[in-house]
């Protein structure tokens, strides 16, 4: 009942009251993964991303095989610039536990990228991204990260191909257009870079509206556990 009450409050964007309800639920049921996910979601809704991550990592420690906290931590991953070693280890575990889950491999690859360890992680990142794409061939986010990896490796033609796939398979490919513009400039393709920059400006406004809608639908995500 407490979980349903907290989720209902989230559905109505009453973030602070929802946080209080989930906190009470967590005190009463300290081993409940979904109460911790609820706490993480309310922290995220209030832009308290570090606190949200702590709740979700605690949930992962309680039950490493439960996919729900990983999925929500993946949403946090989209809006954070850096991640702790603990995040990377959690996503590495998730990819090992769910080898047939494209998103598990994708999350792990992104966590490696955000460690900023350069060439030390190139091979592993590439393997994880290719696994994700093999499992989900139209996964635009994975193609985007593959394009970034190819650029880091100075394989610019490969980067362009991957980023073009990211544009094709992503609903609002603002970052893919931006990265394509950067790669084209490095290749001396000024006109192509200009066009991609224009497309980036057009798509980025639509992307902002999409992200705001996702935030409004946070309560539904907590209830269903679907990204």
């Amino acid at each position: 009942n407490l979980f349903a009450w907290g989720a209902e409050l989230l559905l109505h964007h009453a973030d602070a009251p929802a946080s209080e309800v989930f906190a009470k639920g967590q005190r009463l049921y300290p081993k409940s993964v979904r109460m911790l996910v609820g706490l993480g979601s309310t922290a995220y809704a209030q832009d308290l991303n570090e606190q949200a991550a702590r709740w979700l990592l605690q949930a992962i420690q309680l039950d490493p095989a439960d996919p729900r906290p990983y999925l929500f931590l993946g949403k946090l991953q989209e809006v954070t610039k850096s991640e702790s070693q603990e995040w990377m280890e959690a996503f590495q575990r998730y990819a090992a536990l769910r080898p047939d889950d494209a998103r598990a491999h994708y999350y792990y690859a992104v966590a490696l990228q955000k460690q900023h360890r350069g060439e030390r992680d190139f091979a592993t990142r590439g393997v994880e991204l290719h696994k994700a794409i093999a499992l989900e061939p139209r996964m635009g986010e994975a193609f985007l990260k593959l394009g970034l990896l190819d650029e880091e490796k100075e394989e610019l033609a490969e980067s362009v191909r991957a980023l073009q796939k990211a544009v094709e398979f992503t609903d609002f490919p603002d970052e893919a257009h931006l990265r394509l513009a950067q790669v084209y400039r490095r290749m001396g393709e000024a006109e192509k870079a200009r066009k991609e920059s224009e497309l980036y400006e057009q798509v980025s406004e639509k992307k902002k509206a999409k992200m705001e809608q996702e935030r409004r639908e946070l309560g539904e995500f907590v209830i269903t556990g679907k990204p």
Side-chain angles (χ1 to χ4, degrees):
N1 288 341
L2 284 168
F3 179 82
W5 183 16
E8 185 69 22
L9 287 167
L10 264 182
L11 281 170
H12 292 87
H13 317 301
D15 302 329
S19 181
E20 293 175 7
V21 171
F22 285 127
K24 180 179 180 180
Q26 198 272 331
R27 288 194 298 272
L28 292 171
Y29 305 98
K31 295 189 181 298
S32 170
V33 169
R34 66 177 185 168
M35 286 298 183
L36 289 166
V37 171
L39 279 168
S41 69
T42 56
Y44 171 73
Q46 297 172 85
D47 294 318
L48 303 172
N49 293 337
E50 290 186 11
Q51 180 62 66
R54 285 196 290 272
W55 289 124
L56 295 167
L57 289 167
Q58 186 175 334
I60 287 169
Q61 289 175 355
L62 277 177
D63 186 358
D66 192 318
R68 290 173 294 182
Y70 296 104
L71 291 172
F72 207 99
L73 196 61
K75 292 180 75 67
L76 271 178
Q77 195 177 50
E78 296 175 10
V79 297
T80 56
K81 293 183 179 179
S82 62
E83 299 174 11
S84 69
Q85 179 75 14
E86 194 175 1
W87 286 45
M88 190 194 73
E89 291 170 356
F91 284 127
Q92 182 180 20
R93 186 184 308 117
Y94 186 42
L97 287 169
R98 299 176 70 90
D100 296 327
D101 188 330
R103 199 151 292 278
H105 294 291
Y106 170 74
Y107 289 153
Y108 178 33
V110 175
L112 286 168
Q113 177 198 345
K114 292 190 175 185
Q115 290 292 306
H116 302 295
R117 303 200 309 176
E119 292 185 14
R120 285 184 291 171
D121 290 331
F122 281 177
T124 306
R125 283 166 58 190
V127 167
E128 294 300 316
L129 289 170
H130 282 293
K131 283 180 180 178
I133 290 167
L135 290 164
E136 194 173 321
R138 298 178 66 86
M139 192 174 189
E141 310 103 295
F143 278 109
L144 172 63
K145 299 304 181 186
L146 186 60
L148 300 184
L149 174 59
D150 287 335
E151 184 184 6
E152 284 185 69
K153 294 162 63 178
E154 301 294 331
E155 297 173 359
L156 300 186
E158 292 293 325
S159 178
V160 167
R161 281 191 281 273
L163 292 171
Q164 287 173 337
K165 289 287 187 182
V167 169
E168 180 181 356
F169 297 139
T170 306
D171 290 337
F172 300 95
D174 57 335
E175 187 176 357
H177 286 303
L178 179 64
R179 299 295 186 168
L180 267 173
Q182 293 172 348
V183 175
Y184 279 137
R185 286 192 196 96
R186 293 186 63 188
M187 297 174 73
E189 300 275 3
E191 181 60 21
K192 288 182 179 180
R194 184 189 64 79
K195 289 181 179 178
E196 293 298 333
S197 294
E198 289 178 355
L199 288 168
Y200 163 73
E201 294 293 339
Q202 294 170 18
V203 175
S204 62
E205 289 302 316
K206 297 177 182 178
K207 177 72 173 290
K208 289 176 185 176
K210 175 180 178 287
M211 291 181 70
E212 180 58 31
Q213 180 183 354
E214 287 181 349
R215 226 173 238 283
R216 290 197 299 268
E217 295 171 349
L218 195 57
E220 182 179 349
F221 174 80
V222 171
I223 293 170
T224 64
K226 296 178 181 179

